[in-house]
Structure formats: C-alpha cells, structure tokens
Amino acid sequence: MNKKFLCIALSVIMILVMPLAAYAAEDLDLKDKVLTMLAPSGNDPGPSGNDPDPTGKEPDPKDKPAEDDIVPIHNVPVSAVSIDKTKLTIAAKKTTTLKATVKPTDATDKNLDWISSKPSVAKVKDGKVTALKVGTAVICAKAKDGSNISKSCTVTVTKPVAKIKLNHKSATLKVKKTLKLKPTITPKKGSYKCVTWKSSNPKVAKVNSKGKVTALKKGKAVITCTANDFTKKKVRCVITVK
C-alpha cells in the first residue's frame, strides 16, 4: 500500500515538474525570468544621473556645443554723450527737443536719464524741454549704464519779445561815415535781448554784430534787426549813402 502510494505521488510530481523543465530549457531560466520580471526598468533615471537616455539612444558628441562656438557676453560701457545744443534760449510756455548721441555705437545700454536742475523753470522728458517760467536751468543727459557719463545744456527761459524799436528809422551818411543803431526790446524785463543784424546791400552799407553801420559807397541799404527768440520780431532802418 505504501509503495503504491509513493509511485502515485512520484507520477504526480513528474507530471507537474516536466512542463516547467521543458519551458525552462526552451526559454530563460525560470529564476532569471522571474528576477527580470520583478526588476525595475533600466530606462528609469536613477539618483546617480548615469542611467541610459530615455530614448535608448547614446548622446551624439556633435550635439554638444564646441568651446569655440560659445561667445562670451561682454559689456560695452558708454564712453561719451553729446547734445546738439550746449546753450538754449526759449520763451516761457514753449517747447523744444534736445537730441543726444551716445558713443560708442555698440554700447550695451544706450538709455539716458534726462534731468533738470530747476524743473520749476524748465522740465525735461526724453529730451523734450518745456519752458515754464523766466529763469535758467541746466538740462543733463546721463548714461544709465552706470558709467556716469553725461552732457548738459544751459537753458534760459525768457518772456517772448513783443516789439523792437531802433533809435533811427532812417539815416543819411557820407561814404566812410558810421552810425550806431540801438535796439529797444519790449518787454524790458525778462525778454531775450540778443538780436541779429543784416544789411540788404552790404556793398553800400555794412553792419556788424553790434549794430554799427559803415557807409561804403553811394546808394541805399536796409538794415534789419531781428530778435533771436522764437518770435523773430523785426525792425528796419533805411540807410542812404551820398
């Protein structure tokens, strides 16, 4: 009875074991297969950072930038700032624009800070000057790159010229004689007193920057005095040379 039971048990074991042995012979070792199935994927990045590329491809050395291709970024500071005017006269309530140039042309930061020493007299924004009341203010254009390079313009705010009057409306001179013309500008206080002189016929009578007329030869010439502010008010004197 025991031998018969043992034979039956061995037969059952053989029936169960033989298929597994055959499968193991044809494929992977069962132990290795199980371990392989349980092991984590080799493509998962590990903490070491040395795991394979997720795409399964080796990195191409050509994809790495060559040292010669890496261009360092250099800061080019501002070396000079210039303004198209260093002195400016403007009537109150009027505006004008100052133009600034920054050098070198390839400066990294060409932006400027515009500052007025007396914003109550003349204010400035991006180079645009607005005259507010009679007085003087210094307008400064300063580089914003930290170089502290700057340039300034002195702005004089005046009252607009209303009228110019000369001490002679006309005059007769002999050749080589001279005459001094004197302008009177209204309003007398706060207006721009500078004027420009011009002769219509400088071969007959010439005039210098101070209003001095010199007779040169017979004929007639008109001497014009013009206000140098935006009004360009004019007054004339007719000179007859005999």
Side-chain angles (χ1 to χ4, degrees):
M1 182 68 178
N2 291 336
K3 290 182 178 181
K4 186 177 181 178
F5 179 79
L6 182 59
C7 288
I8 293 172
L10 289 173
S11 298
V12 173
I13 292 172
M14 292 297 291
I15 291 170
L16 295 174
V17 171
M18 286 301 292
L20 292 175
Y23 177 79
E26 291 176 1
D27 203 345
L28 297 173
D29 180 79
L30 181 60
K31 179 181 178 181
D32 292 337
K33 190 172 183 66
V34 172
L35 291 175
T36 301
M37 293 174 64
L38 295 176
S41 173
N43 290 334
D44 292 340
S48 65
N50 297 322
D51 296 297
D53 186 277
T55 62
K57 298 180 180 180
E58 291 292 331
D60 190 344
K62 295 181 181 179
D63 294 338
K64 295 182 179 180
E67 292 185 3
D68 293 341
D69 295 336
I70 301 175
V71 180
I73 299 176
H74 295 292
N75 181 57
V76 181
V78 173
S79 61
V81 175
S82 60
I83 300 179
D84 58 339
K85 297 181 181 69
T86 56
K87 291 183 179 181
L88 173 67
T89 298
I90 183 173
K93 310 302 181 183
K94 295 295 178 178
T95 63
T96 189
T97 300
L98 296 174
K99 295 181 181 179
T101 302
V102 175
K103 291 183 179 181
T105 56
D106 61 343
T108 304
D109 185 357
K110 292 184 178 182
N111 293 314
L112 297 171
D113 266 332
W114 290 88
I115 306 165
S116 173
S117 64
K118 290 184 179 180
S120 61
V121 172
K123 64 181 182 178
V124 62
K125 182 178 181 181
D126 297 330
K128 184 179 180 180
V129 179
T130 302
L132 300 177
K133 67 178 184 179
V134 175
T136 301
V138 177
I139 303 299
C140 178
K142 183 179 179 181
K144 295 180 71 173
D145 68 343
S147 62
N148 292 323
I149 302 297
S150 63
K151 190 67 176 178
S152 62
C153 171
T154 301
V155 177
T156 301
V157 180
T158 64
K159 293 179 180 178
V161 173
K163 185 179 178 181
I164 302 178
K165 184 179 180 181
L166 292 177
N167 56 335
H168 294 280
K169 290 184 178 180
S170 63
T172 300
L173 299 174
K174 291 183 178 181
V175 175
K176 295 185 179 182
K177 293 296 181 179
T178 62
L179 175 69
K180 181 65 184 293
L181 295 176
K182 297 179 180 180
T184 300
I185 297 174
T186 305
K188 292 183 178 181
K189 186 177 180 180
S191 60
Y192 193 50
K193 299 299 191 294
C194 291
V195 296
T196 300
W197 298 92
K198 184 178 180 180
S199 172
S200 64
N201 193 346
K203 291 182 179 180
V204 172
K206 65 179 182 179
V207 61
N208 66 12
S209 60
K210 296 182 179 181
K212 181 180 178 180
V213 180
T214 302
L216 300 176
K217 71 176 185 179
K218 292 181 180 181
K220 285 189 177 183
V222 177
I223 306 299
T224 302
C225 176
T226 305
N228 276 353
D229 72 347
F230 78 97
T231 64
K232 302 299 179 185
K233 293 286 185 180
K234 301 177 186 295
V235 64
R236 296 173 177 86
C237 175
V238 177
I239 301 295
T240 301
V241 180
K242 289 184 176 181

